[in-house]
Amino acid sequence: RKEVEQDPGPFNVPEGATVAFNCTYSNSASQSFFWYRQDCRKEPKLLMSVYSSGNEDGRFTAQLNRASQYISLLIRDSKLSDSATYLCVVSSRGAGSYQLTFGKGTKLSVIP
Amino acid sequence: SQTIHQWPATLVQPVGSPLSLECTVEGTSNPNLYWYRQAAGRGLQLLFYSVGIGQISSEVPQNLSASRPQDRQFILSSKKLLLSDSGFYLCAWDYRGNTEAFFGQGTRLTVV
């Protein structure tokens, strides 16, 4: 089983739609979780951290389910500018320190 | 504040030539450092990570190597480039996996 797994997409949705991405992780001892956004030909940038109780930032909601080892990202009222690749990131213990592991990303295209 | 510098931004190299990409971090000490590669239209592939000076872990066997001669300096090298080494190379740092990762702006390498 891959350490961090995401549906690669692409997800093609109309403006205004609600879209959800899921991500599963294999290491039950993972500590921290993040969603990153990567625009075409650019470096990834943090979108939001994912907290145990779930958290919301405007149109974006992140959820963590430790029992099932998955993380989700919900985008409401999609905008054209939301088109990007969304990366799930998990922090796990290894080699005496915590390291971040990235999923392959889910591509989102918001269509006019 | 912390910053990460990666250079050059773009590089075109002939097959068989050597490679040296440099990454430096400012404003923090003892970070985890990472080298990723992203082929066109693909996800991030972790190449190397380092938890301290002289400590390098390799994730994927290949003709690339990495070194960390100083706490905040991470170098990616190759003695002889292959066509398959083309891609978008990203350096990143985090503080022991408990924080978000910060990426450099990347180096777009084309091997011809």
Side-chain angles (χ1 to χ4, degrees):
Chain A
R1 181 180 175 184
K2 294 180 183 175
E3 287 190 59
V4 179
E5 202 154 358
Q6 296 181 248
D7 182 340
F11 284 57
N12 299 314
V13 302
E15 271 187 289
T18 295
V19 61
F21 306 136
N22 287 329
C23 166
T24 58
Y25 61 95
S26 60
N27 187 343
S28 60
S30 298
Q31 289 278 343
S32 304
F33 309 88
F34 310 91
W35 282 102
Y36 275 70
R37 169 192 170 129
Q38 186 177 22
D39 292 297
C40 187
R41 302 177 71 84
K42 297 286 188 180
E43 75 275 20
K45 293 185 179 178
L46 180 71
L47 177 66
M48 58 196 304
S49 301
V50 186
Y51 302 122
S52 297
S53 56
N55 48 299
E56 188 174 307
D57 183 2
R59 298 181 293 108
F60 299 85
T61 301
Q63 296 277 356
L64 167 64
N65 185 320
R66 284 189 184 271
S68 301
Q69 294 180 211
Y70 80 79
I71 309 149
S72 65
L73 176 68
L74 184 76
I75 305 176
R76 290 182 300 278
D77 188 23
S78 299
K79 311 290 184 191
L80 293 176
S81 58
D82 293 334
S83 297
T85 297
Y86 291 84
L87 305 169
C88 172
V89 185
V90 174
S91 171
S92 305
R93 185 108 180 151
S97 177
Y98 284 95
Q99 289 113 37
L100 296 177
T101 303
F102 284 74
K104 298 293 186 187
T106 299
K107 186 173 182 180
L108 171 66
S109 294
V110 181
I111 305 162
Chain B
S1 63
Q2 302 91 352
T3 55
I4 179 168
H5 302 280
Q6 186 183 342
W7 66 93
T10 306
L11 193 58
V12 179
Q13 292 281 102
V15 168
S17 64
L19 173 73
S20 181
L21 301 181
E22 189 163 344
C23 171
T24 59
V25 180
E26 295 177 0
T28 188
S29 59
N30 208 20
N32 285 350
L33 294 170
Y34 305 83
W35 278 111
Y36 290 90
R37 176 172 62 199
Q38 189 172 37
R42 307 291 294 275
L44 287 171
Q45 179 186 35
L46 179 62
L47 300 175
F48 301 95
Y49 68 87
S50 171
V51 299
I53 296 173
Q55 299 178 65
I56 309 293
S57 296
S58 174
E59 291 292 307
V60 182
Q62 59 219 317
N63 68 323
L64 299 171
S65 62
S67 62
R68 185 169 177 175
Q70 300 179 45
D71 181 44
R72 288 169 288 179
Q73 184 184 28
F74 205 23
I75 298 171
L76 182 70
S77 305
S78 174
K79 292 182 179 178
K80 288 185 178 182
L81 285 168
L82 306 172
L83 287 174
S84 57
D85 291 325
S86 294
F88 189 39
Y89 288 82
L90 289 156
C91 178
W93 77 273
D94 73 70
Y95 192 70
R96 298 311 187 201
N98 289 322
T99 66
E100 65 189 272
F102 300 89
F103 284 84
Q105 291 190 319
T107 296
R108 198 160 301 280
L109 171 67
T110 304
V111 182
V112 296

